[in-house]
Amino acid sequence: FGNYIEEQKKLMELKEEYLKSGDFQYLNRIKVLVGKLYERLSDRDIGINAKVNDIISDNKLSIELIIKEAEDVDKRIAELIDENINIRILLNKEIMSINNQELKDLLVDIGIEMEILNNNIQAYIQRLSDFILRTKKRKEQNNKLASIANKIMNQKDEDLTYLLISNAQYY
């Protein structure tokens, strides 16, 4: 889902150069890079949503594979939360400290949008967690049904017969 370390380093370098020189070209580069960083975060959000939807709607894979893939994506999304925190700290503390109102306004706007993206990530984690739980339950039910079917096929169905007779109205 992306790595933003290079952009973060570049932002710090541009900030240092701007503070040393006062050259507004560095400030403009910071603004452009902040905009590009936000675009990447927004694109990543779309990609995560697509991946979660793919996992949830893919009925062709085995249950084990679906669970493994969902758990892997869930873990990667959790790692993104930490990365988002680092980006927010960088933007809110380091870049916001540059004394330029236009840049501050841009950072406030992006901060609001990033909050929406963070909320989306939380929703993706919840959807994926719910899906993993449902899929694990379905796997457990499938295993029980397979066990019962195997007993019936091997004509070892006495337990099932007794169960059905003892609770006939329920079953």
Side-chain angles (χ1 to χ4, degrees):
F1 296 130
N3 185 328
Y4 306 95
I5 294 171
E6 292 301 317
E7 286 89 346
Q8 293 176 51
K9 287 180 185 176
K10 187 66 176 173
L11 278 170
M12 289 306 296
E13 290 172 11
L14 289 170
K15 175 188 173 187
E16 289 175 21
E17 290 298 322
Y18 173 71
L19 293 177
K20 284 180 189 174
S21 69
D23 188 345
F24 283 100
Q25 288 187 10
Y26 290 113
L27 186 63
N28 289 333
R29 287 183 185 173
I30 290 171
K31 291 175 190 175
V32 168
L33 187 55
V34 166
K36 286 182 181 179
L37 180 60
Y38 171 72
E39 285 177 27
R40 283 194 61 207
L41 293 172
S42 181
D43 290 345
R44 180 197 66 196
D45 183 69
I46 293 167
I48 293 170
N49 187 32
K51 185 66 175 173
V52 169
N53 287 336
D54 287 348
I55 290 171
I56 290 173
S57 65
D58 193 351
N59 295 321
K60 296 175 188 169
L61 298 176
S62 71
I63 289 178
E64 290 83 11
L65 190 57
I66 290 171
I67 290 171
K68 183 182 179 330
E69 190 172 343
E71 288 174 337
D72 289 345
V73 170
D74 189 46
K75 179 182 172 191
R76 290 172 56 201
I77 290 173
E79 291 169 0
L80 286 176
I81 291 173
D82 293 337
E83 181 130 6
N84 277 2
I85 290 169
N86 292 337
I87 291 170
R88 297 281 306 258
I89 289 170
L90 173 75
L91 294 178
N92 290 338
K93 293 195 174 167
E94 295 295 331
I95 304 303
M96 186 68 87
S97 69
I98 297 173
N99 191 16
N100 181 277
Q101 191 58 44
E102 189 177 328
L103 178 62
K104 288 181 181 187
D105 291 344
L106 175 65
L107 292 173
V108 167
D109 291 343
I110 287 177
I112 292 168
E113 295 297 322
M114 282 185 69
E115 188 63 32
I116 293 169
L117 297 179
N118 286 341
N119 291 339
N120 289 349
I121 288 174
Q122 295 297 331
Y124 302 146
I125 288 175
Q126 186 62 48
R127 282 180 55 209
L128 213 47
S129 296
D130 291 346
F131 174 75
I132 290 168
L133 184 63
R134 283 192 319 270
T135 305
K136 284 182 177 180
K137 285 181 181 177
R138 187 173 64 183
K139 178 183 174 187
E140 185 179 319
Q141 289 172 342
N142 286 350
N143 288 340
K144 287 178 183 177
L145 288 173
S147 174
I148 291 170
N150 192 30
K151 286 179 181 179
I152 292 171
M153 297 296 286
N154 292 325
Q155 297 182 350
K156 295 181 180 177
D157 56 354
E158 301 88 26
D159 292 341
L160 179 60
T161 303
Y162 293 131
L163 177 68
L164 293 174
I165 291 171
S166 67
N167 294 314
Q169 289 187 355
Y170 177 75
Y171 293 108

